[in-house]
Amino acid sequence: MTTDAFSEVRVEAPVVAAVAAQAACATPGVIRLEPGVRGLVSSLVRVGKQRLTSADPAPSEGVRVRRSASGALSVQVDVVISADRPASVVGHAVQQEVSRVVFEQTGQMVDEVSVTILDIEPEQQ
């Protein structure tokens, strides 16, 4: 039996943020994500909501996701990188990896990935 009914699948921002965080952390040159003050506040709110519903929160500190009224998806990532690679190369790689992995795992197209490099740690000797 077939049906012509369509249903909408919408992946919520916390899920997209967790996927984006994993993708950013897996990018060569990224040491870690940094939440910053704004990220800490939103992270505490998200974790509180998930704990109230007995859900284990996926780590997404340092990532913020916004969806515009038109449905456009914007991801902001705050990272600390290693000094052994140029910042522009790492930033661009994070943009590409976040866009690719979010689409692969959620089916959601990312319209914009903004990367803020908060620190560059010296090379390990």
Side-chain angles (χ1 to χ4, degrees):
M1 173 184 223
T2 62
T3 153
D4 292 333
F6 291 96
S7 61
E8 180 181 349
V9 175
R10 183 175 176 130
V11 179
E12 291 296 322
V15 175
V16 173
V19 170
Q22 291 174 341
C25 285
T27 304
V30 172
I31 295 175
R32 67 181 173 276
L33 299 178
E34 282 286 329
V37 174
R38 192 172 14 150
L40 283 172
V41 172
S42 63
S43 179
L44 289 173
V45 170
R46 179 183 56 80
V47 168
K49 286 180 183 178
Q50 288 178 326
R51 292 231 167 104
L52 283 175
T53 62
S54 299
D56 287 331
S60 63
E61 289 77 17
V63 178
R64 292 170 306 287
V65 174
R66 289 203 170 84
R67 191 179 306 270
S68 71
S70 66
L73 196 59
S74 172
V75 179
Q76 296 173 319
V77 183
D78 298 334
V79 296
V80 173
I81 67 169
S82 171
D84 64 349
R85 294 176 188 253
S88 61
V89 171
V90 175
H92 183 70
V94 170
Q95 290 174 319
Q96 297 298 313
E97 192 67 3
V98 167
S99 292
R100 182 184 68 77
V101 173
V102 168
F103 180 73
E104 285 178 359
Q105 292 189 11
T106 69
Q108 306 290 300
M109 291 290 294
V110 178
D111 297 291
E112 176 186 29
V113 178
S114 299
V115 178
T116 303
I117 298 172
L118 297 175
D119 198 6
I120 300 175
E121 291 192 356
E123 296 180 45
Q124 298 294 326
Q125 302 282 344

